Amino acid sequence: GAVVSQHPSRVICKSGTSVKIECRSLDFQATTMFWYRQFPKQSLMLMATSNEGSKATYEQGVEKDKFLINHASLTLSTLTVTSAHPEDSSFYICSASISDYGYTFGSGTRLTVV
Amino acid sequence: GENVEQHPSTLSVQEGDSAVIKCTYSDSASNYFPWYKQELGKGPQLIIDIRSNVGEKKDQRIAVTLNKTAKHFSLHITETQPEDSAVYFCAAKGNTNAGKSTFGDGTTLTVKP
């Protein structure tokens, strides 16, 4: 089946540094990927939609300069959290569109900013 | 935009009993309704889905029903097992909205042995 590999699974970084999270589609081409943020015991909050070869579309209230998304190839999308602060600590999840309807999710990245 | 409401937020059942989680949606244009299971510290995994041209779908112990008129759909888990314990999310998606899904707030299911 369609698999999305997300790395790293956990990362701890210092305040002010940047962190890059990668999502790779392993056995299919993902023209569209979605990035979510999830707070403890809450639902998934869509941050942005990335399309291969074009600029990402950000949801209202999401700072595009802080959460940089790059989807340079059909198998790789990256989310970079720039100048991270403790309030950016969260669980970040990507998903890839695998058909007109279905999605497959990555395993998530637990980011802790200290 | 689409609004999805999910109930209950928590559900505790005895092993072997059935569990039912319900979701309602607002956009009549939505035509795809997946259910995801999320275990602690992991990404959501699709467990079953249904499209708007079908009223019911079953896969072993899991079934989903859809009532398009009332705009609600439900997840049914029979003969629950402790490993079914997780957070379950429903979602609704239409052809519009750039392919985005709207998720419910999740249901924490606990199956007691």
mmCIF file of all heavy atoms in Angstrom, chain A residues 10 32 34 36 38 41-44 46 49 59 91 93 99-108 110, chain B residues 31-32 34 36 38 41-46 49 51 89 93-95 98-101 103-106:
data_model
loop_
_atom_site.group_PDB
_atom_site.id
_atom_site.type_symbol
_atom_site.label_atom_id
_atom_site.label_comp_id
_atom_site.label_asym_id
_atom_site.label_seq_id
_atom_site.Cartn_x
_atom_site.Cartn_y
_atom_site.Cartn_z
ATOM 1 N N ARG A 10 10.979 12.232 16.504
ATOM 2 C CA ARG A 10 11.053 13.146 17.648
ATOM 3 C C ARG A 10 12.241 14.061 17.462
ATOM 4 O O ARG A 10 13.281 13.641 16.963
ATOM 5 C CB ARG A 10 11.271 12.361 18.961
ATOM 6 C CG ARG A 10 10.131 11.504 19.396
ATOM 7 C CD ARG A 10 10.516 10.700 20.625
ATOM 8 N NE ARG A 10 9.411 9.858 21.067
ATOM 9 C CZ ARG A 10 8.510 10.245 21.956
ATOM 10 N NH1 ARG A 10 8.586 11.437 22.504
ATOM 11 N NH2 ARG A 10 7.534 9.438 22.310
ATOM 12 N N THR A 32 0.186 16.115 -4.194
ATOM 13 C CA THR A 32 -0.329 16.986 -3.145
ATOM 14 C C THR A 32 -0.038 16.383 -1.783
ATOM 15 O O THR A 32 -0.292 15.204 -1.564
ATOM 16 C CB THR A 32 -1.854 17.184 -3.284
ATOM 17 O OG1 THR A 32 -2.140 17.719 -4.566
ATOM 18 C CG2 THR A 32 -2.381 18.126 -2.205
ATOM 19 N N PHE A 34 -0.308 17.371 2.560
ATOM 20 C CA PHE A 34 -0.907 18.250 3.549
ATOM 21 C C PHE A 34 -0.079 18.185 4.827
ATOM 22 O O PHE A 34 0.393 17.125 5.218
ATOM 23 C CB PHE A 34 -2.346 17.810 3.854
ATOM 24 C CG PHE A 34 -3.236 17.756 2.641
ATOM 25 C CD1 PHE A 34 -3.351 16.593 1.909
ATOM 26 C CD2 PHE A 34 -3.951 18.870 2.244
ATOM 27 C CE1 PHE A 34 -4.162 16.528 0.786
ATOM 28 C CE2 PHE A 34 -4.770 18.823 1.127
ATOM 29 C CZ PHE A 34 -4.871 17.649 0.391
ATOM 30 N N TYR A 36 -0.216 19.004 8.939
ATOM 31 C CA TYR A 36 -1.113 19.232 10.066
ATOM 32 C C TYR A 36 -0.322 19.455 11.340
ATOM 33 O O TYR A 36 0.802 18.979 11.486
ATOM 34 C CB TYR A 36 -2.029 18.025 10.287
ATOM 35 C CG TYR A 36 -2.979 17.705 9.157
ATOM 36 C CD1 TYR A 36 -2.579 16.888 8.094
ATOM 37 C CD2 TYR A 36 -4.280 18.207 9.152
ATOM 38 C CE1 TYR A 36 -3.443 16.588 7.060
ATOM 39 C CE2 TYR A 36 -5.156 17.902 8.124
ATOM 40 C CZ TYR A 36 -4.731 17.090 7.082
ATOM 41 O OH TYR A 36 -5.605 16.784 6.058
ATOM 42 N N GLN A 38 -1.048 19.034 15.563
ATOM 43 C CA GLN A 38 -1.984 18.445 16.507
ATOM 44 C C GLN A 38 -1.524 18.709 17.929
ATOM 45 O O GLN A 38 -0.425 18.313 18.318
ATOM 46 C CB GLN A 38 -2.119 16.936 16.260
ATOM 47 C CG GLN A 38 -3.205 16.276 17.086
ATOM 48 C CD GLN A 38 -3.336 14.792 16.783
ATOM 49 O OE1 GLN A 38 -2.353 14.118 16.489
ATOM 50 N NE2 GLN A 38 -4.556 14.278 16.838
ATOM 51 N N LYS A 41 -4.576 15.775 22.794
ATOM 52 C CA LYS A 41 -6.002 15.477 22.936
ATOM 53 C C LYS A 41 -6.876 16.365 22.058
ATOM 54 O O LYS A 41 -8.034 16.616 22.386
ATOM 55 C CB LYS A 41 -6.422 15.595 24.407
ATOM 56 C CG LYS A 41 -5.694 14.603 25.306
ATOM 57 C CD LYS A 41 -6.230 14.612 26.713
ATOM 58 C CE LYS A 41 -5.495 13.576 27.561
ATOM 59 N NZ LYS A 41 -6.005 13.505 28.938
ATOM 60 N N GLN A 42 -6.332 16.821 20.954
ATOM 61 C CA GLN A 42 -7.123 17.618 20.034
ATOM 62 C C GLN A 42 -7.068 17.018 18.631
ATOM 63 O O GLN A 42 -6.315 16.087 18.362
ATOM 64 C CB GLN A 42 -6.619 19.059 20.010
ATOM 65 C CG GLN A 42 -6.885 19.802 21.312
ATOM 66 C CD GLN A 42 -6.631 21.280 21.179
ATOM 67 O OE1 GLN A 42 -6.662 21.843 20.088
ATOM 68 N NE2 GLN A 42 -6.386 21.931 22.304
ATOM 69 N N SER A 43 -7.865 17.584 17.760
ATOM 70 C CA SER A 43 -7.935 17.075 16.399
ATOM 71 C C SER A 43 -6.781 17.611 15.560
ATOM 72 O O SER A 43 -5.950 18.389 16.037
ATOM 73 C CB SER A 43 -9.273 17.487 15.775
ATOM 74 O OG SER A 43 -9.477 16.819 14.553
ATOM 75 N N LEU A 44 -6.752 17.182 14.321
ATOM 76 C CA LEU A 44 -5.713 17.648 13.406
ATOM 77 C C LEU A 44 -6.103 19.009 12.848
ATOM 78 O O LEU A 44 -7.213 19.202 12.362
ATOM 79 C CB LEU A 44 -5.545 16.666 12.248
ATOM 80 C CG LEU A 44 -4.939 15.311 12.581
ATOM 81 C CD1 LEU A 44 -5.970 14.354 13.135
ATOM 82 C CD2 LEU A 44 -4.284 14.711 11.342
ATOM 83 N N LEU A 46 -5.239 21.604 9.979
ATOM 84 C CA LEU A 46 -4.529 21.748 8.720
ATOM 85 C C LEU A 46 -3.752 23.060 8.720
ATOM 86 O O LEU A 46 -4.310 24.118 8.989
ATOM 87 C CB LEU A 46 -5.506 21.714 7.546
ATOM 88 C CG LEU A 46 -4.883 21.835 6.159
ATOM 89 C CD1 LEU A 46 -4.009 20.626 5.849
ATOM 90 C CD2 LEU A 46 -5.961 21.987 5.095
ATOM 91 N N THR A 49 -1.337 23.248 2.429
ATOM 92 C CA THR A 49 -1.385 22.256 1.355
ATOM 93 C C THR A 49 -0.228 22.540 0.416
ATOM 94 O O THR A 49 -0.056 23.686 -0.030
ATOM 95 C CB THR A 49 -2.703 22.370 0.576
ATOM 96 O OG1 THR A 49 -3.794 22.210 1.480
ATOM 97 C CG2 THR A 49 -2.784 21.326 -0.523
ATOM 98 N N GLU A 59 -3.250 27.855 5.450
ATOM 99 C CA GLU A 59 -4.538 28.135 6.060
ATOM 100 C C GLU A 59 -4.470 29.463 6.797
ATOM 101 O O GLU A 59 -3.391 29.942 7.180
ATOM 102 C CB GLU A 59 -4.927 27.015 7.022
ATOM 103 C CG GLU A 59 -5.159 25.678 6.332
ATOM 104 C CD GLU A 59 -6.285 25.734 5.319
ATOM 105 O OE1 GLU A 59 -7.430 26.032 5.715
ATOM 106 O OE2 GLU A 59 -6.017 25.463 4.130
ATOM 107 N N PHE A 91 2.824 18.223 17.814
ATOM 108 C CA PHE A 91 2.945 17.022 16.996
ATOM 109 C C PHE A 91 2.585 17.426 15.576
ATOM 110 O O PHE A 91 1.488 17.934 15.328
ATOM 111 C CB PHE A 91 1.984 15.952 17.540
ATOM 112 C CG PHE A 91 2.195 14.568 16.994
ATOM 113 C CD1 PHE A 91 3.423 13.935 17.116
ATOM 114 C CD2 PHE A 91 1.156 13.872 16.394
ATOM 115 C CE1 PHE A 91 3.617 12.646 16.640
ATOM 116 C CE2 PHE A 91 1.338 12.584 15.907
ATOM 117 C CZ PHE A 91 2.569 11.967 16.027
ATOM 118 N N ILE A 93 2.154 16.381 11.563
ATOM 119 C CA ILE A 93 1.855 15.197 10.747
ATOM 120 C C ILE A 93 1.657 15.621 9.297
ATOM 121 O O ILE A 93 0.997 16.633 9.030
ATOM 122 C CB ILE A 93 0.564 14.489 11.216
ATOM 123 C CG1 ILE A 93 0.550 14.286 12.729
ATOM 124 C CG2 ILE A 93 0.387 13.140 10.510
ATOM 125 C CD1 ILE A 93 -0.794 13.818 13.258
ATOM 126 N N SER A 99 -5.331 9.386 -4.090
ATOM 127 C CA SER A 99 -6.340 9.207 -5.120
ATOM 128 C C SER A 99 -7.228 10.443 -5.054
ATOM 129 O O SER A 99 -6.951 11.374 -4.302
ATOM 130 C CB SER A 99 -7.161 7.938 -4.868
ATOM 131 O OG SER A 99 -7.953 8.101 -3.716
ATOM 132 N N ASP A 100 -8.322 10.428 -5.807
ATOM 133 C CA ASP A 100 -9.242 11.573 -5.723
ATOM 134 C C ASP A 100 -9.848 11.698 -4.334
ATOM 135 O O ASP A 100 -10.328 12.751 -3.958
ATOM 136 C CB ASP A 100 -10.373 11.394 -6.742
ATOM 137 C CG ASP A 100 -9.886 11.637 -8.156
ATOM 138 O OD1 ASP A 100 -8.801 12.232 -8.317
ATOM 139 O OD2 ASP A 100 -10.585 11.219 -9.093
ATOM 140 N N TYR A 101 -9.817 10.592 -3.597
ATOM 141 C CA TYR A 101 -10.473 10.600 -2.294
ATOM 142 C C TYR A 101 -9.523 10.327 -1.131
ATOM 143 O O TYR A 101 -9.596 10.944 -0.102
ATOM 144 C CB TYR A 101 -11.595 9.559 -2.267
ATOM 145 C CG TYR A 101 -12.712 9.854 -3.220
ATOM 146 C CD1 TYR A 101 -12.730 9.305 -4.486
ATOM 147 C CD2 TYR A 101 -13.747 10.699 -2.840
ATOM 148 C CE1 TYR A 101 -13.756 9.595 -5.359
ATOM 149 C CE2 TYR A 101 -14.783 10.985 -3.708
ATOM 150 C CZ TYR A 101 -14.783 10.428 -4.973
ATOM 151 O OH TYR A 101 -15.797 10.714 -5.827
ATOM 152 N N GLY A 102 -8.656 9.361 -1.276
ATOM 153 C CA GLY A 102 -7.933 8.847 -0.124
ATOM 154 C C GLY A 102 -6.654 9.586 0.215
ATOM 155 O O GLY A 102 -6.051 10.272 -0.602
ATOM 156 N N TYR A 103 -6.282 9.458 1.489
ATOM 157 C CA TYR A 103 -5.034 10.013 1.987
ATOM 158 C C TYR A 103 -4.300 8.933 2.755
ATOM 159 O O TYR A 103 -4.901 8.030 3.304
ATOM 160 C CB TYR A 103 -5.290 11.150 2.984
ATOM 161 C CG TYR A 103 -6.107 12.288 2.465
ATOM 162 C CD1 TYR A 103 -7.479 12.309 2.637
ATOM 163 C CD2 TYR A 103 -5.501 13.373 1.836
ATOM 164 C CE1 TYR A 103 -8.231 13.361 2.178
ATOM 165 C CE2 TYR A 103 -6.259 14.427 1.389
ATOM 166 C CZ TYR A 103 -7.617 14.419 1.557
ATOM 167 O OH TYR A 103 -8.361 15.470 1.089
ATOM 168 N N THR A 104 -2.988 9.099 2.839
ATOM 169 C CA THR A 104 -2.223 8.287 3.763
ATOM 170 C C THR A 104 -1.362 9.225 4.589
ATOM 171 O O THR A 104 -0.837 10.210 4.071
ATOM 172 C CB THR A 104 -1.386 7.220 3.027
ATOM 173 O OG1 THR A 104 -0.792 6.354 3.975
ATOM 174 C CG2 THR A 104 -0.310 7.841 2.157
ATOM 175 N N PHE A 105 -1.244 8.928 5.881
ATOM 176 C CA PHE A 105 -0.560 9.816 6.798
ATOM 177 C C PHE A 105 0.836 9.316 7.127
ATOM 178 O O PHE A 105 1.104 8.110 7.144
ATOM 179 C CB PHE A 105 -1.353 9.934 8.105
ATOM 180 C CG PHE A 105 -2.561 10.813 8.011
ATOM 181 C CD1 PHE A 105 -3.769 10.300 7.565
ATOM 182 C CD2 PHE A 105 -2.498 12.152 8.364
ATOM 183 C CE1 PHE A 105 -4.889 11.100 7.473
ATOM 184 C CE2 PHE A 105 -3.612 12.962 8.275
ATOM 185 C CZ PHE A 105 -4.813 12.439 7.822
ATOM 186 N N GLY A 106 1.708 10.257 7.432
ATOM 187 C CA GLY A 106 2.999 9.914 8.002
ATOM 188 C C GLY A 106 2.819 9.564 9.468
ATOM 189 O O GLY A 106 1.724 9.689 10.034
ATOM 190 N N SER A 107 3.898 9.158 10.092
ATOM 191 C CA SER A 107 3.829 8.700 11.481
ATOM 192 C C SER A 107 3.946 9.834 12.484
ATOM 193 O O SER A 107 3.824 9.614 13.684
ATOM 194 C CB SER A 107 4.929 7.666 11.744
ATOM 195 O OG SER A 107 6.187 8.194 11.357
ATOM 196 N N GLY A 108 4.170 11.052 11.999
ATOM 197 C CA GLY A 108 4.194 12.206 12.891
ATOM 198 C C GLY A 108 5.568 12.528 13.441
ATOM 199 O O GLY A 108 6.443 11.666 13.536
ATOM 200 N N ARG A 110 7.193 14.598 16.803
ATOM 201 C CA ARG A 110 7.000 15.299 18.082
ATOM 202 C C ARG A 110 8.112 16.328 18.211
ATOM 203 O O ARG A 110 9.272 15.968 18.383
ATOM 204 C CB ARG A 110 7.042 14.309 19.241
ATOM 205 C CG ARG A 110 7.056 14.945 20.614
ATOM 206 C CD ARG A 110 5.737 15.576 20.974
ATOM 207 N NE ARG A 110 4.656 14.602 20.962
ATOM 208 C CZ ARG A 110 3.369 14.935 20.959
ATOM 209 N NH1 ARG A 110 3.004 16.203 20.956
ATOM 210 N NH2 ARG A 110 2.451 13.998 20.953
ATOM 211 N N ASN B 31 -18.598 14.174 -0.207
ATOM 212 C CA ASN B 31 -18.951 12.886 -0.789
ATOM 213 C C ASN B 31 -17.993 11.756 -0.413
ATOM 214 O O ASN B 31 -18.072 10.656 -0.957
ATOM 215 C CB ASN B 31 -19.037 13.006 -2.321
ATOM 216 C CG ASN B 31 -17.751 13.528 -2.922
ATOM 217 O OD1 ASN B 31 -16.733 13.648 -2.246
ATOM 218 N ND2 ASN B 31 -17.783 13.827 -4.200
ATOM 219 N N TYR B 32 -17.095 12.029 0.528
ATOM 220 C CA TYR B 32 -16.170 10.980 0.957
ATOM 221 C C TYR B 32 -15.981 11.100 2.455
ATOM 222 O O TYR B 32 -15.706 12.201 2.965
ATOM 223 C CB TYR B 32 -14.831 11.135 0.232
ATOM 224 C CG TYR B 32 -13.760 10.168 0.689
ATOM 225 C CD1 TYR B 32 -13.911 8.802 0.483
ATOM 226 C CD2 TYR B 32 -12.610 10.624 1.319
ATOM 227 C CE1 TYR B 32 -12.927 7.917 0.907
ATOM 228 C CE2 TYR B 32 -11.632 9.744 1.741
ATOM 229 C CZ TYR B 32 -11.795 8.394 1.530
ATOM 230 O OH TYR B 32 -10.830 7.510 1.937
ATOM 231 N N PRO B 34 -14.052 9.235 5.493
ATOM 232 C CA PRO B 34 -13.133 8.233 6.049
ATOM 233 C C PRO B 34 -13.143 8.253 7.575
ATOM 234 O O PRO B 34 -13.514 9.248 8.195
ATOM 235 C CB PRO B 34 -11.774 8.699 5.522
ATOM 236 C CG PRO B 34 -11.907 10.184 5.402
ATOM 237 C CD PRO B 34 -13.367 10.475 5.122
ATOM 238 N N TYR B 36 -10.451 7.324 10.801
ATOM 239 C CA TYR B 36 -9.055 7.071 11.106
ATOM 240 C C TYR B 36 -8.910 6.647 12.557
ATOM 241 O O TYR B 36 -9.624 7.116 13.435
ATOM 242 C CB TYR B 36 -8.205 8.323 10.875
ATOM 243 C CG TYR B 36 -8.170 8.783 9.434
ATOM 244 C CD1 TYR B 36 -9.071 9.729 8.973
ATOM 245 C CD2 TYR B 36 -7.237 8.252 8.548
ATOM 246 C CE1 TYR B 36 -9.048 10.150 7.652
ATOM 247 C CE2 TYR B 36 -7.207 8.671 7.222
ATOM 248 C CZ TYR B 36 -8.115 9.615 6.797
ATOM 249 O OH TYR B 36 -8.090 10.013 5.487
ATOM 250 N N GLN B 38 -6.035 6.571 15.559
ATOM 251 C CA GLN B 38 -4.735 7.118 15.913
ATOM 252 C C GLN B 38 -4.311 6.594 17.268
ATOM 253 O O GLN B 38 -4.979 6.844 18.274
ATOM 254 C CB GLN B 38 -4.758 8.655 15.924
ATOM 255 C CG GLN B 38 -3.381 9.262 16.150
ATOM 256 C CD GLN B 38 -3.382 10.770 16.114
ATOM 257 O OE1 GLN B 38 -4.382 11.417 16.406
ATOM 258 N NE2 GLN B 38 -2.246 11.361 15.747
ATOM 259 N N GLY B 41 1.081 8.853 19.943
ATOM 260 C CA GLY B 41 2.384 9.148 19.366
ATOM 261 C C GLY B 41 2.547 8.736 17.923
ATOM 262 O O GLY B 41 3.663 8.761 17.385
ATOM 263 N N LYS B 42 1.447 8.348 17.270
ATOM 264 C CA LYS B 42 1.541 7.908 15.874
ATOM 265 C C LYS B 42 0.605 8.720 14.990
ATOM 266 O O LYS B 42 -0.279 9.421 15.480
ATOM 267 C CB LYS B 42 1.185 6.428 15.767
ATOM 268 C CG LYS B 42 2.131 5.507 16.515
ATOM 269 C CD LYS B 42 1.758 4.051 16.297
ATOM 270 C CE LYS B 42 2.718 3.128 17.040
ATOM 271 N NZ LYS B 42 2.360 1.703 16.846
ATOM 272 N N GLY B 43 0.798 8.617 13.688
ATOM 273 C CA GLY B 43 -0.095 9.277 12.763
ATOM 274 C C GLY B 43 -1.392 8.500 12.600
ATOM 275 O O GLY B 43 -1.461 7.324 12.917
ATOM 276 N N PRO B 44 -2.433 9.151 12.119
ATOM 277 C CA PRO B 44 -3.717 8.468 11.908
ATOM 278 C C PRO B 44 -3.595 7.404 10.822
ATOM 279 O O PRO B 44 -2.858 7.567 9.854
ATOM 280 C CB PRO B 44 -4.654 9.595 11.465
ATOM 281 C CG PRO B 44 -3.981 10.855 11.868
ATOM 282 C CD PRO B 44 -2.514 10.579 11.795
ATOM 283 N N GLN B 45 -4.357 6.330 11.007
ATOM 284 C CA GLN B 45 -4.395 5.274 9.991
ATOM 285 C C GLN B 45 -5.829 5.073 9.549
ATOM 286 O O GLN B 45 -6.737 4.953 10.393
ATOM 287 C CB GLN B 45 -3.846 3.971 10.564
ATOM 288 C CG GLN B 45 -2.339 3.942 10.684
ATOM 289 C CD GLN B 45 -1.821 2.535 10.905
ATOM 290 O OE1 GLN B 45 -2.343 1.814 11.736
ATOM 291 N NE2 GLN B 45 -0.810 2.142 10.175
ATOM 292 N N LEU B 46 -6.026 5.021 8.252
ATOM 293 C CA LEU B 46 -7.365 4.793 7.709
ATOM 294 C C LEU B 46 -7.837 3.392 8.077
ATOM 295 O O LEU B 46 -7.125 2.408 7.866
ATOM 296 C CB LEU B 46 -7.331 4.939 6.187
ATOM 297 C CG LEU B 46 -8.641 4.698 5.461
ATOM 298 C CD1 LEU B 46 -9.620 5.828 5.747
ATOM 299 C CD2 LEU B 46 -8.407 4.575 3.945
ATOM 300 N N ASP B 49 -13.658 3.591 5.004
ATOM 301 C CA ASP B 49 -14.191 4.812 4.399
ATOM 302 C C ASP B 49 -15.448 4.472 3.618
ATOM 303 O O ASP B 49 -15.728 3.305 3.328
ATOM 304 C CB ASP B 49 -13.150 5.489 3.503
ATOM 305 C CG ASP B 49 -12.634 4.580 2.394
ATOM 306 O OD1 ASP B 49 -13.170 3.459 2.207
ATOM 307 O OD2 ASP B 49 -11.665 4.971 1.715
ATOM 308 N N ARG B 51 -18.142 6.222 0.460
ATOM 309 C CA ARG B 51 -18.455 7.295 -0.463
ATOM 310 C C ARG B 51 -19.952 7.522 -0.470
ATOM 311 O O ARG B 51 -20.726 6.658 -0.054
ATOM 312 C CB ARG B 51 -17.948 6.955 -1.866
ATOM 313 C CG ARG B 51 -16.446 6.811 -1.907
ATOM 314 C CD ARG B 51 -15.910 6.660 -3.303
ATOM 315 N NE ARG B 51 -14.508 6.289 -3.298
ATOM 316 C CZ ARG B 51 -13.784 6.110 -4.400
ATOM 317 N NH1 ARG B 51 -14.339 6.271 -5.587
ATOM 318 N NH2 ARG B 51 -12.518 5.776 -4.299
ATOM 319 N N PHE B 89 -10.999 9.343 14.577
ATOM 320 C CA PHE B 89 -11.410 10.585 13.938
ATOM 321 C C PHE B 89 -12.260 10.275 12.714
ATOM 322 O O PHE B 89 -11.913 9.404 11.912
ATOM 323 C CB PHE B 89 -10.202 11.398 13.465
ATOM 324 C CG PHE B 89 -9.364 11.966 14.563
ATOM 325 C CD1 PHE B 89 -8.208 11.330 14.997
ATOM 326 C CD2 PHE B 89 -9.724 13.162 15.177
ATOM 327 C CE1 PHE B 89 -7.439 11.859 16.009
ATOM 328 C CE2 PHE B 89 -8.949 13.699 16.198
ATOM 329 C CZ PHE B 89 -7.808 13.044 16.609
ATOM 330 N N LYS B 93 -15.056 15.020 3.161
ATOM 331 C CA LYS B 93 -14.344 15.665 2.061
ATOM 332 C C LYS B 93 -15.247 15.744 0.848
ATOM 333 O O LYS B 93 -16.020 14.839 0.575
ATOM 334 C CB LYS B 93 -13.089 14.861 1.729
ATOM 335 C CG LYS B 93 -12.287 15.387 0.554
ATOM 336 C CD LYS B 93 -11.133 14.464 0.233
ATOM 337 C CE LYS B 93 -10.365 14.930 -0.983
ATOM 338 N NZ LYS B 93 -11.177 14.920 -2.207
ATOM 339 N N GLY B 94 -15.143 16.837 0.123
ATOM 340 C CA GLY B 94 -15.883 16.975 -1.116
ATOM 341 C C GLY B 94 -14.946 17.141 -2.279
ATOM 342 O O GLY B 94 -13.727 17.072 -2.125
ATOM 343 N N ASN B 95 -15.511 17.374 -3.426
ATOM 344 C CA ASN B 95 -14.694 17.570 -4.617
ATOM 345 C C ASN B 95 -14.056 18.946 -4.627
ATOM 346 O O ASN B 95 -13.099 19.185 -5.333
ATOM 347 C CB ASN B 95 -15.543 17.409 -5.878
ATOM 348 C CG ASN B 95 -15.855 15.958 -6.133
ATOM 349 O OD1 ASN B 95 -15.064 15.080 -5.827
ATOM 350 N ND2 ASN B 95 -17.017 15.687 -6.665
ATOM 351 N N ALA B 98 -10.030 22.238 -2.635
ATOM 352 C CA ALA B 98 -8.656 21.808 -2.924
ATOM 353 C C ALA B 98 -8.329 20.454 -2.321
ATOM 354 O O ALA B 98 -7.208 20.204 -1.917
ATOM 355 C CB ALA B 98 -7.664 22.858 -2.431
ATOM 356 N N GLY B 99 -9.308 19.588 -2.231
ATOM 357 C CA GLY B 99 -9.041 18.241 -1.762
ATOM 358 C C GLY B 99 -8.865 18.124 -0.268
ATOM 359 O O GLY B 99 -8.454 17.093 0.226
ATOM 360 N N LYS B 100 -9.133 19.137 0.487
ATOM 361 C CA LYS B 100 -8.925 19.082 1.935
ATOM 362 C C LYS B 100 -10.056 18.337 2.623
ATOM 363 O O LYS B 100 -11.196 18.385 2.209
ATOM 364 C CB LYS B 100 -8.836 20.501 2.512
ATOM 365 C CG LYS B 100 -7.636 21.281 2.012
ATOM 366 C CD LYS B 100 -7.557 22.652 2.664
ATOM 367 C CE LYS B 100 -8.615 23.589 2.162
ATOM 368 N NZ LYS B 100 -8.412 24.976 2.653
ATOM 369 N N SER B 101 -9.687 17.675 3.703
ATOM 370 C CA SER B 101 -10.682 17.023 4.541
ATOM 371 C C SER B 101 -10.896 17.848 5.794
ATOM 372 O O SER B 101 -9.978 18.513 6.272
ATOM 373 C CB SER B 101 -10.213 15.625 4.958
ATOM 374 O OG SER B 101 -10.229 14.720 3.886
ATOM 375 N N PHE B 103 -11.860 17.364 9.725
ATOM 376 C CA PHE B 103 -11.862 16.304 10.715
ATOM 377 C C PHE B 103 -12.776 16.626 11.885
ATOM 378 O O PHE B 103 -12.941 17.783 12.263
ATOM 379 C CB PHE B 103 -10.436 16.079 11.248
ATOM 380 C CG PHE B 103 -9.522 15.434 10.259
ATOM 381 C CD1 PHE B 103 -8.857 16.190 9.316
ATOM 382 C CD2 PHE B 103 -9.324 14.062 10.269
ATOM 383 C CE1 PHE B 103 -8.013 15.598 8.384
ATOM 384 C CE2 PHE B 103 -8.482 13.457 9.344
ATOM 385 C CZ PHE B 103 -7.832 14.232 8.398
ATOM 386 N N GLY B 104 -13.352 15.578 12.454
ATOM 387 C CA GLY B 104 -14.030 15.726 13.730
ATOM 388 C C GLY B 104 -13.009 15.887 14.838
ATOM 389 O O GLY B 104 -11.800 15.779 14.607
ATOM 390 N N ASP B 105 -13.487 16.146 16.042
ATOM 391 C CA ASP B 105 -12.590 16.409 17.165
ATOM 392 C C ASP B 105 -12.021 15.139 17.806
ATOM 393 O O ASP B 105 -11.182 15.224 18.690
ATOM 394 C CB ASP B 105 -13.313 17.232 18.238
ATOM 395 C CG ASP B 105 -13.512 18.666 17.799
ATOM 396 O OD1 ASP B 105 -12.769 19.124 16.906
ATOM 397 O OD2 ASP B 105 -14.416 19.333 18.340
ATOM 398 N N GLY B 106 -12.501 13.987 17.365
ATOM 399 C CA GLY B 106 -11.938 12.732 17.866
ATOM 400 C C GLY B 106 -12.727 12.136 19.009
ATOM 401 O O GLY B 106 -13.387 12.851 19.781
#
